[in-house]
Amino acid sequence: MNRGALIEEWRAHLADNRRRSPHTVRAYVAAAERLVVAGGLEDWAAVARTEAHDLRAHLAARRAEGLGNASTARELSALKAFIAFARQQSGDPEPAAPRLRGPRIKKGLPRPVTPDEAVNLTELVDTLAADDWIGARDRAVLLLMYGSGLRIAEALSLTGRDAMLGDVLHITGKGGKQRVVPILPITRAAVADYVRLCKWPLTPAEPLFRGAKGGPLSPAMVQRVMAQARRALGLPETATPHALRHSFATHLLSAGADLRSLQALLGHASLGSTQIYTRVDAASLLENYRNAHPRADRS
């Protein structure tokens, strides 16, 4: 087996068997390619023999190239998965990754936007667009992220079959996990407006949200539209499309939603991923207190 075939088999395993997102597949494959080239690894047996000290040396070289802590941790995770798969392919009865800890990463809190800012953003993108149908499209996409907690990839994965939204929507998220999310009347109306105005035929099997030339709408375009709107409103750079999903979570939590329900709505595999929003909510309450209470310490 040559290196190309080895990498292609790894790619197919990630995409077809593990159902990883395209972004994750690209990152994991790139990490694997760097390892096999640097180590001169030609087959699964050679990859399987990679030990912790080999990984440590490889990552040290990557750090010397300027790789930061977070990127190093992600690369280590990808390489551990690659080596565990190699050991499985080589017939190891108990395949496992080398035991090596990554760098410690200080987890920052998500930075949600306020309800008013979310509404202002969704209204402004409608007016900033060159064409009415593009403005309606942008508003519909942002409302799906804020009103239903969708990731960008999830919103853009909708097809013409989803054009007539009901009260709920079945979403396939990370790892092929399915969940049901609510659709607010304002979101349903926004999608209906877009469908009515769209200049391209929306067939059942093709993407619901289209780019200006009729192809699938790209995440980069959604991010660009959001950046234009936040600059116009004077919002910080943390007001990204994904911040709308954070806002969905924190605003539900503030209104009394329990963590288990929030976990199901967000499609998190573990409750630990959802618990960060309790810290976000507490941080928001403390900030409001400091700004409003006459005796608050503002030092």
Side-chain angles (χ1 to χ4, degrees), residues 3 71 75 111 136 231 244 250:
R3 290 177 189 170
S71 297
E75 183 132 343
R111 294 290 302 273
R231 285 194 293 267
L244 294 176
T250 53

Side-chain angles (χ1 to χ4, degrees), residues 244-278:
L244 294 176
R245 175 172 155 88
H246 293 319
S247 303
F248 166 83
T250 53
H251 299 166
L252 280 180
L253 193 63
S254 297
D258 65 272
L259 280 176
R260 286 293 181 188
S261 298
L262 197 56
Q263 178 188 3
L265 288 172
L266 292 170
H268 285 160
S270 69
L271 189 61
S273 299
T274 313
Q275 285 174 329
I276 191 172
Y277 291 105
T278 62

Side-chain angles (χ1 to χ4, degrees), residues 5 60-61 77 88 141 257 266 269 289:
S77 178
Q88 183 181 40
V141 171
L266 292 170
Y289 164 79

